[in-house]
């Protein structure tokens, strides 16, 4: 097995400082890329999708749970499978406490093509409490390209899609698939995919930090049981 070279503490410190310069440049580049993502146009969703969840039937606006934004994880679980995708399951295992997303007016939900009667026992087995809906019988997965037709066969791929609600209208703002999910799971990583971002004053474009009345930021972070919706 190949291991790192052994060095003195001073040699390690010099190498670390050199790498830090590149890390900071990567952070600035990521911030710029996130700003470009927030500048993407959005598309109105006028299809009336009907899902099934823990409280019965639900529409796409219902999935927002009254909040402004929605992040959907396209979890690979087609009707012919007995259990959900192992990789998607590992992804959900690393998702942080949803209260921090909710405090930024953003809901996280999972959607799969299998019937809800199959989702329910698997969700219980995994010990998850996050909202999970079945899109069985509608074209949601197809329309947002989590299910594709290739060589005459249906192909599933994991993904994340983001939506923005403006009163009664719903808009699709962003989607990513496969390796695009690398590094996701934290509150900030999901917010970076959304049209409103982290809602902090330093973000571009200007004017989105006040989407919920006041800019967000470290000083507004609470213990997850202290937030008031």
């Amino acid at each position: 097995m190949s291991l790192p070279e052994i060095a003195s503490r001073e040699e390690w410190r010099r190498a670390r400082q050199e790498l830090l310069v590149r890390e900071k440049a990567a952070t600035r580049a990521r911030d710029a890329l996130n700003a470009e993502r927030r500048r993407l146009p959005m598309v109105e969703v006028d299809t009336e999708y009907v899902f099934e969840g823990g409280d019965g039937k639900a529409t796409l606006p219902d999935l927002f749970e009254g909040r402004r934004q929605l992040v959907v994880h396209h979890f690979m679980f087609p009707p012919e499978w007995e259990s959900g995708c192992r990789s998607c399951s590992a992804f959900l295992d690393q998702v942080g406490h949803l209260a921090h997303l909710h405090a930024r007016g953003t809901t996280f939900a999972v959607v799969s093509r299998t019937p809800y009667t199959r989702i329910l026992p698997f969700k219980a087995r995994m010990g998850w409490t996050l909202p999970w809906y079945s899109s069985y019988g509608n074209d949601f997965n197809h329309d947002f390209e989590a299910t594709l037709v290739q060589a005459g066969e249906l192909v599933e791929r994991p993904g994340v899609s983001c939506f923005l609600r403006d009163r009664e209208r719903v808009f699709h703002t962003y989607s990513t698939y496969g390796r695009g999910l690398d590094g996701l799971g934290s509150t900030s990583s999901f917010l970076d995919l959304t049209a409103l971002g982290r809602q902090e004053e330093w973000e571009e474009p200007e004017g989105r930090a006040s989407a919920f009345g006041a800019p967000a930021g470290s000083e507004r972070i609470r213990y997850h049981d202290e937030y008031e919706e």
Side-chain angles (χ1 to χ4, degrees):
M1 181 170 65
S2 176
L3 298 175
E5 294 180 2
I6 298 174
S8 68
R9 176 59 60 184
E10 188 56 38
E11 288 172 330
W12 177 89
R13 188 175 288 109
R14 285 197 299 269
R16 177 68 189 95
Q17 289 300 317
E18 291 174 1
L19 181 61
L20 181 60
V21 173
R22 297 171 62 185
E23 288 177 336
K24 289 184 175 182
T27 297
R28 291 190 293 271
R30 183 188 63 196
D31 289 342
L33 182 62
N34 290 338
E36 289 303 306
R37 183 184 293 113
R38 289 188 292 272
R39 291 187 178 97
L40 284 173
M42 58 186 186
V43 179
E44 186 164 9
V45 181
D46 50 19
T47 301
E48 295 183 2
Y49 302 103
V50 178
F51 305 89
E52 185 173 1
D55 295 325
K57 302 296 183 183
T59 63
L60 184 57
D62 291 333
L63 270 57
F64 283 76
E65 297 180 347
R67 301 183 184 92
R68 188 77 182 276
Q69 296 192 123
L70 171 67
V71 176
V72 169
H73 175 217
H74 300 288
F75 187 109
M76 293 196 300
F77 197 167
E80 61 270 20
W81 290 9
E82 293 297 324
S83 299
C85 166
R86 286 183 171 85
S87 294
C88 294
S89 297
F91 177 82
L92 281 191
D93 280 338
Q94 67 188 8
V95 174
H97 202 290
L98 298 184
H100 300 291
L101 275 175
H102 295 172
R104 307 288 178 96
T106 304
T107 297
F108 179 86
V110 184
V111 173
S112 297
R113 283 203 303 123
T114 200
Y116 190 71
T117 53
R118 187 162 291 175
I119 289 174
L120 197 57
F122 183 70
K123 179 181 177 181
R125 171 189 169 187
M126 295 293 100
W128 296 323
T129 59
L130 39 71
W132 194 343
Y133 299 88
S134 167
S135 61
Y136 183 74
N138 72 43
D139 292 327
F140 183 79
N141 268 46
H142 296 272
D143 292 348
F144 293 96
E145 301 181 12
T147 301
L148 305 173
V149 178
Q150 294 181 352
E153 296 184 359
L154 292 180
V155 176
E156 304 287 327
R157 60 176 177 169
V160 167
S161 290
C162 300
F163 302 88
L164 178 69
R165 185 170 59 87
D166 185 15
R167 298 179 178 84
E168 302 304 315
R169 303 172 72 187
V170 172
F171 298 89
H172 175 222
T173 60
Y174 183 73
S175 286
T176 189
Y177 310 92
R179 289 293 304 277
L181 277 64
D182 286 1
L184 297 182
S186 66
T187 297
S188 58
S189 67
F190 285 130
L191 290 173
D192 283 343
L193 302 184
T194 67
L196 299 182
R198 304 184 191 187
Q199 299 140 46
E200 299 183 10
E201 290 184 311
W202 57 268
E203 289 182 307
E204 296 287 343
E206 295 181 0
R208 302 191 187 178
S210 59
F212 301 101
S218 298
E219 70 280 359
R220 301 191 67 200
I221 294 176
R222 303 288 182 265
Y223 296 114
H224 67 247
D225 61 352
E226 290 182 342
Y227 289 114
E228 294 182 7
E229 291 264 358

